[in-house]
Amino acid sequence: MDSLASIAACGAAEVRFADVRKSYGANRVLRGLNLTLDGGGMYCLMAPSGSGKTTLFRVLLGLEPYDAGSITGVSAGDISMMFQEDRLCEALSAIENVALVLPGRARRSDVRELLSQILPATCLDQPVMELSGGMRRRVSLARAVAYPGKLLVLDEPFTGLDAQTRRQVIDFLLANRHGRTLLVATHGEQDAEFLDARRLNLAELQGE
């Protein structure tokens, strides 16, 4: 699969957060975050809603400036990101949405093969606006997986999926990770178990 071969060759990022701080006015969201993600490691970030997970991802991507500290080992272009919201191009098909993030000229047959692992073949050429919420979530995941980043960051990737589909999607993720560093935000303890990922408690990683 020439168009997607670069995924396996892109390597894995080691990422270090050192005393990272971020506030919105008087609201101190990140309070001296210290964390190292080993290259090729798999991590589940466990924290309740509103505790700073999304802010952490936004400063990692460079979408928000942080107030103090440092983040080293990765740049925004090295990150494959799946947001909580799908951020798909509604009028494009599942195949076209994934092809958008691939370098060079992607072969549709390669993208179709990837998507067929987690979606019915009959829906791959439909505009994503016509797909169910669970199907759209899987397109978003496949797009993040297809991008040749050294760090995969997934924000609540399994939301809205039933138990059987969730397990299928986790198997897809593991099969297509190709050794890249993985950071997943999830509320599901079972997700960490299925991924065999290290659990990270955001509150325990921060000073004051």
Side-chain angles (χ1 to χ4, degrees), residues 129-151:
M129 68 177 69
E130 298 176 2
L131 303 183
S132 69
M135 288 180 176
R136 291 164 58 90
R137 205 75 190 123
R138 281 173 272 172
V139 176
S140 296
L141 175 63
R143 187 172 63 176
V145 165
Y147 180 77
K150 298 177 182 179
L151 170 65

Side-chain angles (χ1 to χ4, degrees), residues 8-28:
C10 65
E14 179 179 280
V15 186
R16 295 179 181 272
F17 300 81
D19 198 30
V20 175
R21 299 174 183 269
K22 174 65 180 178
S23 297
Y24 298 97
N27 182 19
R28 299 168 63 209

Side-chain angles (χ1 to χ4, degrees), residues 60-61 73-79:
L60 176 61
L61 286 163
V74 71
S75 63
D78 294 326
I79 302 172

Side-chain angles (χ1 to χ4, degrees), residues 1 3-13 39-42 113-114 117 144-152 170-182:
M1 291 170 45
S3 304
L4 302 178
S6 56
I7 296 175
C10 65
M42 294 193 292
E113 182 179 337
L114 182 73
Q117 297 177 40
V145 165
Y147 180 77
K150 298 177 182 179
L151 170 65
L152 275 168
I170 288 174
D171 289 343
F172 166 83
L173 177 58
L174 293 174
N176 292 282
R177 184 175 70 93
H178 296 298
R180 292 177 287 176
T181 310
L182 175 67

Side-chain angles (χ1 to χ4, degrees), residues 5-185:
S6 56
I7 296 175
C10 65
E14 179 179 280
V15 186
R16 295 179 181 272
F17 300 81
D19 198 30
V20 175
R21 299 174 183 269
K22 174 65 180 178
S23 297
Y24 298 97
N27 182 19
R28 299 168 63 209
V29 181
L30 299 178
R31 306 178 307 280
L33 173 66
N34 289 286
L35 169 64
T36 297
L37 305 177
D38 294 330
M42 294 193 292
Y43 302 88
C44 279
L45 188 62
M46 319 292 290
S49 297
S51 62
K53 296 192 304 293
T54 298
T55 297
L56 169 59
F57 291 161
R58 288 182 64 81
V59 300
L60 176 61
L61 286 163
L63 299 176
E64 295 270 1
Y66 46 92
D67 303 327
S70 64
I71 301 173
T72 57
V74 71
S75 63
D78 294 326
I79 302 172
S80 301
M81 181 72 203
M82 178 183 178
F83 293 91
Q84 284 190 32
E85 62 277 10
D86 292 321
R87 301 196 178 193
L88 299 172
C89 297
E90 298 285 336
L92 299 184
S93 69
I95 289 174
E96 290 166 335
N97 267 278
V98 173
L100 280 176
V101 306
L102 295 176
R105 188 171 181 177
R107 294 193 312 193
R108 291 176 67 91
S109 59
D110 292 349
V111 179
R112 185 181 297 277
E113 182 179 337
L114 182 73
L115 281 164
S116 293
Q117 297 177 40
I118 49 171
L119 283 166
T122 52
C123 75
L124 301 185
D125 295 298
Q126 290 179 251
V128 295
M129 68 177 69
E130 298 176 2
L131 303 183
S132 69
M135 288 180 176
R136 291 164 58 90
R137 205 75 190 123
R138 281 173 272 172
V139 176
S140 296
L141 175 63
R143 187 172 63 176
V145 165
Y147 180 77
K150 298 177 182 179
L151 170 65
L152 275 168
V153 180
L154 312 177
D155 196 356
E156 303 291 349
F158 313 124
T159 300
L161 303 181
D162 60 42
Q164 181 178 351
T165 304
R166 181 181 294 235
R167 189 58 191 264
Q168 178 192 19
V169 163
I170 288 174
D171 289 343
F172 166 83
L173 177 58
L174 293 174
N176 292 282
R177 184 175 70 93
H178 296 298
R180 292 177 287 176
T181 310
L182 175 67
L183 178 61
V184 180

Side-chain angles (χ1 to χ4, degrees), residues 186-198:
T186 179
H187 296 293
E189 289 287 344
Q190 198 171 41
D191 296 337
E193 180 182 338
F194 287 155
L195 286 165
D196 194 22
R198 177 184 165 192

